Amino acid sequence: MTDTAETSLHRSMETLSLPTPDTFSAFPFLPYEIQLELMRHLYENIEGRRVTIVESPTGTGKTLSLLCASLTWLRDEQERVRRGKVAPSDRNSELDWVSAQTLERKRRELEAEEIEYAERLAQARRKEAALRKAARARVHKRPRVGVDSTRLERDLTFDDEQFLPDDIAGEADSANNLSPEVRTLMEKLNKTRKPAFADSTDNGPEPTCTKIYYASRTHSQLSQVLHELEKLKITLSPASVVAVNGGSNQRTQSGTGSTAKRRISLEEDDEGDVRSIEEPKVDARVVSLGSRKQLCINDKLKSKAGDLDEACRQLLSEKGGRRCPHLPPMDDEVRMLDFRDQILATPKDIESLVVVGQESHTCPYFGSRRAIAQAQLVLLPYNLLLQKTAREALGIDLTDQVVVIDEAHNLISTLLALSTTTLSYRTLSTSLNQLNVYFTKFKNRLNAQHSIHLKRLIGLLSSLVKYAKEWRDERIASRTDASSKSPTTEVITSGELLRRLGRKVEGVNLLEVERYLRDSKIARKISGYCVQTMEKAAGQDPKKLAKLSRMSATTPPLHVVENFIVSLTSANDDGRVTFSLVDQQVELKYQHLNPETHFQEVADTARAVVLAGGTMSPISDVKNQLFMTLPPERLTTFSCGHIIPPTNLQTLVLKKGPRGGDLQFKYDKRDDSGLISELGQGLVNFANIIPGGMVVFVPSYSFLHLIVKHWQEHGVWDRLKAKKKLFMEPQESSDVDAVLRDYTAEITCASQILPAPGQAKKGGSLLFAVVGAKLSEGLNFTDDLARAVIIVGLPFANLASAELRERMSYVNRLEQKRGKGVAKGPGIKDAGTELYENMCMNAVNQSIGRAVRHRGDWAALVLVDARYASPRIRGKLPKWIGKDLTVAETFGEAVKEMGRFYREKRSQP
């Protein structure tokens, strides 16, 4: 046996456990120690199949570290899989030349597969470049898709047969008297015949690979992830280098390291010369996922009123000329595979996918879905990952995959929001009317099964409408009766609601109703039929068409009712139904209380889950609400420091005002004239010291308007204006950009005026913002934009809120049920109070993170409220802030500390 064969066999018999690397060569520059610690922690926890909560302050390269560590593990995992595939089947048998030949053959087969796929992606890159060149040549022409508008109009016109409900399980088979064995055989046959772009998650046994699902809140944030990805130096296709010269392919061997160079000629330039372009430093198959609304390129379809998803599904089931022109024919699998390879050839965001789809005349929605199986990195927004129905629709299987959730400080609120449904009386009654119209129209064409289910659904909605009307009438009457004490809001369990609807409804199995709604797709059918009916009635009347367009922009009524019914199927104690009187109309709301129920499947199924955020504190809150049932040994946490030196951050707690008054902005004292005056005078004094920009966060818009009015009446506002240009966060989102632009321009102008030696820069701006509003997340107040962030008070939520009280009551009940208390801070009496404080401090921590955005940045953080000095509150601040926090007992002490800090910064070069 040769030395090479013996070495290979020895390696295949080595342990397949992956050791945590000391360095990460894919990182684009020399990492800081905290970045190395973070990447090692991530790598170790992915390999160890754990769930980890990671806190990494903004400005420390969090996203880059997440990508580098996870992709490095994925590269090593692929190598481990290859070693496992070529390992001898019997490791205890004597190794002879036959075994050596077998292993060598397996290696050649794997290498050939990898080279073949690399060549396919290279060809896809050439095709993409050619398409872009052709697109530039016809920049003034609208691309044709080979169909005329008349045919498109015909494509979008459906006959009544399209609105009949889909077959439900067991219905068609029982009608045809088929045996279970025959039904099973037919199901297998149907699965193998489904095209890649069918509206189903089952596309046959297509090969897949281990992948990383990277989720964030918005597509703009995911676009930033792609920007960070481009900085890495790593290849996940370790088989080969493909060189393409003059149309002939030549294979050259490369190693598996991240420094392998790959060059490929893509196209001729404008002078006719062949230009050779080095491929991206990151060689990974990436796909971005989005909804139909974001990815649809059928302009005619998008211009039609009604549900785009349902209209797309209808076109999908058509044949020939009635089919969507951007979908390949049913028997044209090659076109979709080519488009899939084009998507995976280079990383693309949602906007790029749309452009590529338009250039290729192929649907990017179904193309991106088809790319999931072969992708190594899947980028998707929160809702597509967290909702089981969305995962099933996209064909996402998290089994043994890696899930990374960035900006995870919003995870709990997102989970609760996705599971909460609001149903107005108007929507409810409209749904019942549409259901009755539909049933009257189609009742003679429905089989017995559908008739039974629809009658049951009509009975359920009728009872709900009747009870909601009675509840409303009782509350309205109580307003005119001084002796009546009927509240305008009532909270009950879903079980209690069903009991109030009567015996007939109480006996209905909501799980069966939910299953019928899902299998028959009846909500979509009724919505589509009603839209078509209204279109016919509208004709060419512009007013009716405008009204129809507005209606089509909202969620169809029966879809909302369906979501409400599905919510009622949750465990009785996991949610509450609230009846409220809003503008003389009833509003029903199902509020989900347990975020763990919808995240548990993700945590249990995935190989590893990473929850990462710039500020995850208090981390105990995430543990208590999401992972109480997770084995303790599978849950880890990591909180790294900031990359800035400690001297670049001054953190103060201010307990007293300039006149010596206590600073405690409790809710019942917020309108105290003396307290507001102390705050105003303190900000005037700080404006004398702080250069550049000041950002002052207050608990609410109402408090902001209160203090501004008071200061304007007592001259404080004018004194502040004499120091800095004043700005206020607008309540309308459309006005935010203009305010930020003016704020930035004022600071930039002031920074260009050089001060006298040893003197502070004059001028600048002061921006008042609201904790938890538009300016408290996702914005970077870098350098002079925020040389100080001041937090006024603690923004506790309104305890009068019925929803908040229910959440607090729920966690208290859960604590008692489990027989042990959740992790508490010092002095906390119950889990509800802990939750209440954690919600407040999570909002504070997000606002604090707006300043200090890079290693050379510096700023002061001032917490204006004596309660921040308590150990309980201090313990909920991020570690990189809390460890060096200074409590100023007097205002003079605070001014002295801040003066020293800014003098030191002015003296630095």
Side-chain angles (χ1 to χ4, degrees), residues 835-870:
L835 171 68
Y836 186 56
E837 281 196 354
N838 287 343
M839 292 171 62
C840 168
M841 291 308 298
N842 183 269
V844 168
N845 293 336
Q846 291 306 312
S847 300
I848 288 175
R850 297 312 93 211
V852 192
R853 311 300 290 187
H854 57 84
R855 182 172 177 80
D857 205 354
W858 51 271
L861 304 177
V862 184
L863 307 174
V864 185
D865 197 301
R867 291 172 291 176
Y868 282 109
S870 69

Side-chain angles (χ1 to χ4, degrees), residues 354-397:
V354 171
V355 172
V356 171
Q358 291 170 336
E359 293 170 347
S360 302
H361 308 314
T362 308
C363 177
Y365 174 74
F366 288 104
S368 60
R369 283 180 53 175
R370 186 57 191 267
I372 294 175
Q374 292 296 318
Q376 295 160 321
L377 176 63
V378 180
L379 304 179
L380 69 171
Y382 275 2
N383 60 315
L384 297 185
L385 174 72
L386 301 178
Q387 290 181 298
K388 184 177 181 180
T389 53
R391 295 198 302 271
E392 291 175 346
L394 291 168
I396 292 175
D397 183 5

Side-chain angles (χ1 to χ4, degrees), residues 66-137:
L66 290 171
L67 288 170
C68 183
S70 56
L71 291 176
T72 298
W73 176 87
L74 185 59
R75 181 196 64 193
D76 297 344
E77 161 70 4
Q78 291 176 338
E79 180 62 26
R80 172 168 57 185
V81 170
R82 280 190 293 274
R83 293 204 311 269
K85 286 183 177 179
V86 301
S89 58
D90 184 2
R91 297 188 179 186
N92 296 321
S93 62
E94 183 177 355
L95 300 176
D96 53 14
W97 68 273
V98 177
S99 298
Q101 290 293 325
T102 301
L103 292 177
E104 185 62 28
R105 177 176 57 81
K106 289 183 178 180
R107 290 191 189 93
R108 287 196 301 269
E109 290 175 354
L110 288 172
E111 180 183 340
E113 291 176 2
E114 292 166 344
I115 291 175
E116 180 185 1
Y117 198 75
E119 289 177 342
R120 287 178 58 182
L121 293 183
Q123 184 178 3
R125 293 188 185 100
R126 293 197 301 275
K127 181 178 180 180
E128 182 177 343
L131 287 171
R132 291 187 181 280
K133 184 176 181 180
R136 289 195 298 269

